Amino acid sequence: MTLSLRVAIVGAGPAGIYAGNILHRQVTEAGGDVAIDLFESLPAPYGLIRYGVAPDHPRIKGIVTSLHEMLDAGTIRLIGNVEVGRDLTVDELRARYDAVIFATGALRDAPLDIPGIDLPGSYGAADFVAWYDGHPDVPRDWPLEAEQVAVIGNGNVALDIARMLAKHPKDLVSTDVPANVVAGLEASPVTDVHVFGRRGPIHVKFTPIELRELGEVPDVDVIVYDDDFERAAGDPHAEQLHASNNQVKVMSRTLNGWRASTSSATDRTASRRLHLHFLHTPVEVLGGDRVEGVRFERTRPVGDGSVEGTGEFVDVPVQAVYRAVGYASSPVPGVPFDERRAVIPNEGGRVTDASGAPIPGVYATGWIKRGPVGLIGHTKGDALETITNLVTDAAAGALPAPQVDAGPDGAEVFELLDARGIRFTTWAGWLELDAHERGLGEAWEPTDAAYAGVARERVKVVPRDEQVEISRAGALVGS
């Protein structure tokens, strides 16, 4: 049977774009044809890459080049500034497409349930990342008032937050960091950023390059503590991990290099310090009207990769706390959701109902499918599984037929959005916004001598309305 499909993908981050690209390739290589509409709640594409990766990580942001090529090929139609569940319901999508794939990612913080976590001065990683990446739906200002800051977590996001807090704005301005973020960081009085992990130095969840980059931040000293390494010594699980994992060996060398340099106070001349603490688990955020410190229980390895409390407590004075203990996905109205695991329940990407039976024509991929684990590259394999199952179902005649005619060139969905006053954006509109941001970068001139000689590739536009205006004014909407 020759396939002829119309498919909607919800979420224009890497997971959704990879899914669309794989779907087009599988169907066309089998001699069929497929029309793919990629719905995105934001006016611009790329999801996590645009709004979840620190601006001083151009290597990771370079993934945009391949994503751009996939969307620019014309085989996937971007429809931005449309929130599924509000502007269009899931039932309305299912009535118009043979299949709907959800790739909405994980946008909120996983909870850290300890006393005092809701005090003023306590923040979630997701909100801070959204601020410094210029997400249009967060406030323009951020309260950077603390001299001493705690970051709770031992993954790459914790390092990103710590680095962004400690880094001087003049070392960020060459990136696409928004102007309001530069202004906020310029006013920050921070001197010390403390990163706390509950396990030992061998069990950190950083990647080697993220850890190494921490030591390359100008005018920031990295400090580690002998006591943490001594408490972690003799852990058989750590020794086995070190012997069998080259990435762990690289990170161990980096950490031990800092350990050696930390022993000499004369080597510490920077105006800011970034402290890495291990074998600390938070038990309470301290303070009356706002954050004044964090109480930690010291932990020890038990030999299987986990830790246990020692009954020894230490209070660390700080004026702000950032929790970076993981992300969680949010439910989409009209789609089953596992609240405990914070994912759409599925089997191989086939979304399942309360009884565990697959819902015909509904699929999931990316973090909304498997949880917020793995790097960006893992989403390719994840999308391949989902799309292979979708194509298998289509070939078996298991997909429900659309009830609403797409109209000439698939224009019916645009007419529906227009009738509802939804100011959607398109790929042509993104190209206009992209060119506009690059133009802002080219035209940027430093107003401070500290930025002399700095060139900017782009300056990110932050307000949603401004993004939409630029996108729609310069492009034929519906193209």
Side-chain angles (χ1 to χ4, degrees), residues 211-225:
L211 189 64
R212 188 190 71 224
E213 287 174 349
L214 208 62
E216 299 171 352
V217 180
D219 194 34
V220 176
D221 284 331
V222 179
I223 299 174
V224 296
Y225 294 86

Side-chain angles (χ1 to χ4, degrees), residues 387-440:
I387 296 305
T388 299
N389 286 333
L390 186 159
V391 172
T392 298
D393 294 344
L399 300 183
Q403 302 165 16
V404 177
D405 187 272
D409 298 321
E412 189 275 337
V413 69
F414 290 135
E415 294 167 358
L416 177 62
L417 292 170
D418 279 333
R420 293 179 177 177
I422 306 302
R423 301 174 72 239
F424 61 90
T425 59
T426 64
W427 177 245
W430 160 248
L431 295 179
E432 290 292 329
L433 178 58
D434 181 50
H436 180 84
E437 291 184 341
R438 291 179 183 276
L440 292 177

